[in-house]
Amino acid sequence: MAKADETLTLGFLTAVDLPGGGHVGGLLMTDRLGRPLEFQCTTPVRPDRTQQILYGPTLVPYLLGEVIGGTLVKKAGVKPNLILCESAAMLSLRPHIDRAVARVEGDEKDAPPEGHNAGPSGGSALSVGCRTLHFHPSHGSDRDFVSSYRDRIPEHADLSEPFERVREALAETCKSVAA
């Protein structure tokens, strides 16, 4: 994990649902002011019926955290100090990487799809910018790590806004691939 005196790089990780099932994920790396440094996205990930049966309620956290999140973090050239996600299911990425991961408390993305396990519910909370962050319950040191960077993020920063940019970029990418 990076030391607190290094430049702060944030990663905004999210996924969008695809028509007919499956997900496509995106990771936007920014500086502390939200300016883009790099963007990565996955190809569509569509579990088949056998995978849905075998994985059961663990399928969504596995796909969003390990498969999509893990792939994006691994292929990113810019390694973020902190990865922010919107859903509790994406917190399942944390045990598989050596970077701090936090869920940005927000709106509808906090609720798991009906019938699915949301993954870890998040440990302690910390206010950063104008949002509250939640951490994986098995990685409490992430809260301390983020707390050491807290003063570098402007108080008025809305840490949920970059997720909308990622969703729009994913929509554009999906359109260009389909054309």
Side-chain angles (χ1 to χ4, degrees), residues 123-166:
S124 59
L126 178 69
S127 292
V128 178
C130 62
R131 293 290 175 163
T132 301
L133 304 182
H134 297 272
F135 301 89
H136 192 284
S138 299
H139 294 272
S141 63
D142 286 359
R143 185 186 185 283
D144 299 334
F145 176 75
V146 173
S147 185
S148 71
Y149 279 110
R150 193 172 170 184
D151 63 338
R152 295 183 189 189
I153 297 174
E155 288 180 24
H156 64 277
D158 182 357
L159 295 176
S160 67
E161 181 279 328
F163 295 118
E164 186 57 35
R165 288 190 266 157
V166 175

Side-chain angles (χ1 to χ4, degrees), residues 62-85:
Y62 171 71
L63 289 178
L64 296 181
E66 290 183 55
V67 175
I68 291 175
T71 298
L72 291 171
V73 170
K74 188 179 292 182
K75 77 179 192 180
V78 175
K79 300 297 182 191
N81 304 102
L82 169 64
I83 297 169
L84 298 165
C85 59

Side-chain angles (χ1 to χ4, degrees), residues 16-18 24-25 39 41 164-178:
V16 295
D17 296 335
L18 297 170
V24 62
F39 176 72
C41 64
E164 186 57 35
R165 288 190 266 157
V166 175
R167 283 191 292 275
E168 288 181 28
L170 289 173
E172 287 299 315
T173 301
C174 288
K175 272 196 257 178
S176 66
V177 170

Side-chain angles (χ1 to χ4, degrees), residues 107-128:
D107 309 317
E108 71 284 345
K109 288 290 184 181
D110 292 334
E114 192 168 314
H116 290 108
N117 181 345
S121 59
S124 59
L126 178 69
S127 292
V128 178

Side-chain angles (χ1 to χ4, degrees), residues 45-64:
V45 177
R46 296 180 194 272
D48 62 29
R49 183 67 187 138
T50 302
Q51 291 167 322
Q52 292 172 0
I53 293 167
L54 294 175
Y55 279 85
T58 67
L59 180 64
V60 173
Y62 171 71
L63 289 178
L64 296 181

